Amino acid sequence: MNSDRNNPHDSSPELVTFIQRFFDRHGAAVEANGPGLDILVPERLMDCLSVREFIRVQGEPIPTAGPTAQGQPQQTYSIAYGSEFLERVLRLACSEVPVVSCRLEFNYLKSQGFDALIRECVQFKGGLSRVEQWAKVVTHYLVLTCRYLVQSDEQKEGLFELGVHLETGAHVPAFSACLETASRCFSRGIPESNRLAGQVQKFFPGLRNAAEDVIRQETAAFIESMNRKFRRDVLNLEEYYASLEKEMRQSLDRSGLSEQRVQDRLAKIALIPEELTRKKDDLFKKYSIRISAVPCAALLVSTPAVKVLLSVAIGKKQKSLSAFYNPVTKTLDPLVCEACQSSSTRFSFCEQAHLLCQDCAGHCPICFKPRPGMSQPTQVPTG
């Protein structure tokens, strides 16, 4: 076996390819030159990596410096494993979420039966829906792979995926799993990261609610374990302080205790409830559950779909809505609450015909109008 492969400072062709792709992606001019790369670095990267405008990278562990053929200043950096320059590049590369794009192809798209599908998939309380028209369209979904961390007295971490429709912001739970069976063609055509981030930011409240629901499902056993330990420790604490108070009160019956010692012991007994409350607060903080999640990767999916235009009759009012038939899941995507942006399949309407999920129904967070048929809350007169 070649001993050079065991050298921790050795580089590899994969590293050279990684460096080339990294600088290409950030708009640098990269040219292969022998075993290394000559790179014209954009101004933004110069500041982030603390390098000059023109650099050379190569596999040797000890960087060298020298002038270029044109007499311009040049710096040479090693990209061997463990080198400082490689660490800088890796930190910058890992600070961004990688995005991959793919296009789906289907030989058949649903073209009838949308009225029945609407009645099956969506419930409108106080409203009657009717399909006005439909059309085949090309739409986009985003599959976000996220890492979650749940911390308490112990901690648990893992990965989960969110499928999001970029036109409506709907969370499609089954999208990622069903995507595995679809015919996919991957491409390098990815929209600008700023524009994609802007679309995700627009739907952030709904995504946050969906992420919390997924994480709680994934960590239900862990959360129940922490709650069980909290209840156990609180019970043990209450039993301990109850026994302590009982013992201290029994000691008051002993003969020979001075009045001062009796008063001191009574004062200590009086402090027991306060100390117990403080200890319970400490346990509550110990077992409190903190949840965090960060995106790790994103898959942008372009797919044919069917856009269905609905007309919903709410008393004498009419409301137009759009729904999407998803050929990946072979059903309708959930609709989105106009108040909290959460995805749902059960909706109500306020007096202004805002589309509201069950959590927002009853008193609209948008216009503060109740659902039709509900009485206004009685105002209590004040003196």
Side-chain angles (χ1 to χ4, degrees), residues 126-128 312-319 349-350 353 372:
L128 184 63
V312 184
I314 313 151
K316 296 181 179 180
K317 296 181 179 180
Q318 295 286 331
K319 185 176 182 67
F349 299 91
C350 67

Side-chain angles (χ1 to χ4, degrees), residues 33-72:
N33 186 353
L37 300 171
D38 290 336
I39 304 173
L40 186 62
V41 185
E43 184 175 353
R44 183 179 66 85
L45 276 187
M46 290 169 58
D47 296 335
C48 294
L49 297 175
S50 301
V51 297
R52 295 178 184 171
E53 183 178 13
F54 184 60
I55 65 172
R56 176 176 173 78
V57 298
Q58 57 189 41
E60 287 75 7
I62 302 176
T64 59
T68 64
Q70 291 78 18
Q72 298 177 347

Side-chain angles (χ1 to χ4, degrees), residues 164-225:
V164 186
H165 187 203
L166 287 180
E167 184 168 335
T168 64
H171 171 226
V172 187
F175 187 81
S176 179
C178 296
L179 190 62
E180 299 295 327
T181 61
S183 176
R184 292 169 289 176
C185 177
F186 289 89
S187 65
R188 299 185 61 183
I190 299 174
E192 297 179 6
S193 58
N194 290 339
R195 186 177 64 181
L196 187 59
Q199 288 179 284
V200 174
Q201 186 67 28
K202 182 172 63 174
F203 304 127
F204 181 76
L207 288 179
R208 181 181 56 194
N209 294 337
E212 289 179 355
D213 291 341
V214 173
I215 293 173
R216 291 189 182 279
Q217 292 174 10
E218 293 285 335
T219 61
F222 174 83
I223 293 175
E224 175 55 31
S225 174

Side-chain angles (χ1 to χ4, degrees), residues 122-144:
V122 188
Q123 297 180 23
F124 295 113
K125 187 173 182 178
L128 184 63
S129 64
R130 182 181 72 256
V131 174
E132 294 288 341
Q133 55 182 320
W134 61 270
K136 295 180 180 180
V137 296
V138 174
T139 191
H140 297 85
Y141 292 82
L142 187 69
V143 179
L144 278 174

Side-chain angles (χ1 to χ4, degrees), residues 139-380:
T139 191
H140 297 85
Y141 292 82
L142 187 69
V143 179
L144 278 174
T145 301
C146 304
R147 180 176 66 87
Y148 68 82
L149 177 63
V150 182
Q151 294 177 301
S152 183
D153 183 49
E154 303 171 12
Q155 71 177 36
K156 178 180 176 62
E157 58 184 338
L159 298 174
F160 68 94
E161 291 183 328
L162 290 177
V164 186
H165 187 203
L166 287 180
E167 184 168 335
T168 64
H171 171 226
V172 187
F175 187 81
S176 179
C178 296
L179 190 62
E180 299 295 327
T181 61
S183 176
R184 292 169 289 176
C185 177
F186 289 89
S187 65
R188 299 185 61 183
I190 299 174
E192 297 179 6
S193 58
N194 290 339
R195 186 177 64 181
L196 187 59
Q199 288 179 284
V200 174
Q201 186 67 28
K202 182 172 63 174
F203 304 127
F204 181 76
L207 288 179
R208 181 181 56 194
N209 294 337
E212 289 179 355
D213 291 341
V214 173
I215 293 173
R216 291 189 182 279
Q217 292 174 10
E218 293 285 335
T219 61
F222 174 83
I223 293 175
E224 175 55 31
S225 174
M226 292 300 102
N227 289 334
R228 187 167 58 250
K229 290 182 178 181
F230 172 70
R231 293 191 295 267
R232 178 202 63 192
D233 288 359
V234 167
L235 181 61
N236 291 340
L237 197 64
E238 290 174 341
E239 291 177 350
Y240 169 76
Y241 278 100
S243 298
L244 179 62
E245 182 178 357
K246 181 179 179 181
E247 181 181 344
M248 294 178 70
R249 289 192 181 279
Q250 288 175 346
S251 68
L252 294 175
D253 297 332
R254 297 175 186 172
S255 60
L257 286 178
S258 66
E259 183 64 25
Q260 182 62 43
R261 294 192 66 181
V262 170
Q263 294 302 322
D264 290 344
R265 192 150 298 182
L266 286 173
K268 290 181 179 179
I269 292 173
L271 292 175
I272 286 179
E274 181 181 346
E275 185 174 351
L276 175 59
T277 300
R278 186 167 60 251
K279 294 292 186 180
K280 284 182 177 180
D281 289 342
D282 291 341
L283 285 177
F284 183 80
K285 293 176 183 177
K286 176 182 178 180
Y287 289 108
S288 291
I289 295 174
R290 300 169 298 280
I291 298 175
S292 61
V294 293
C296 300
L299 173 64
L300 181 64
V301 180
S302 174
T303 178
V306 179
K307 187 173 184 178
V308 183
L309 298 181
L310 308 175
S311 177
V312 184
I314 313 151
K316 296 181 179 180
K317 296 181 179 180
Q318 295 286 331
K319 185 176 182 67
S320 297
L321 296 173
S322 297
F324 282 83
Y325 172 78
N326 189 329
V328 177
T329 60
K330 295 180 173 57
T331 188
L332 286 180
D333 288 344
L335 300 184
V336 177
C337 174
E338 294 181 352
C340 68
Q341 297 184 21
S342 295
S343 302
S344 181
T345 57
R346 299 176 62 192
F347 292 93
S348 300
F349 299 91
C350 67
E351 289 184 355
Q352 299 299 320
H354 290 125
L355 185 69
L356 304 175
C357 67
Q358 296 304 297
D359 291 336
C360 297
H363 204 266
C364 179
I366 301 175
C367 63
F368 306 104
K369 296 291 185 181
R371 190 172 65 234
M374 293 188 63
S375 59
Q376 294 280 3
T378 304
Q379 183 176 358
V380 179

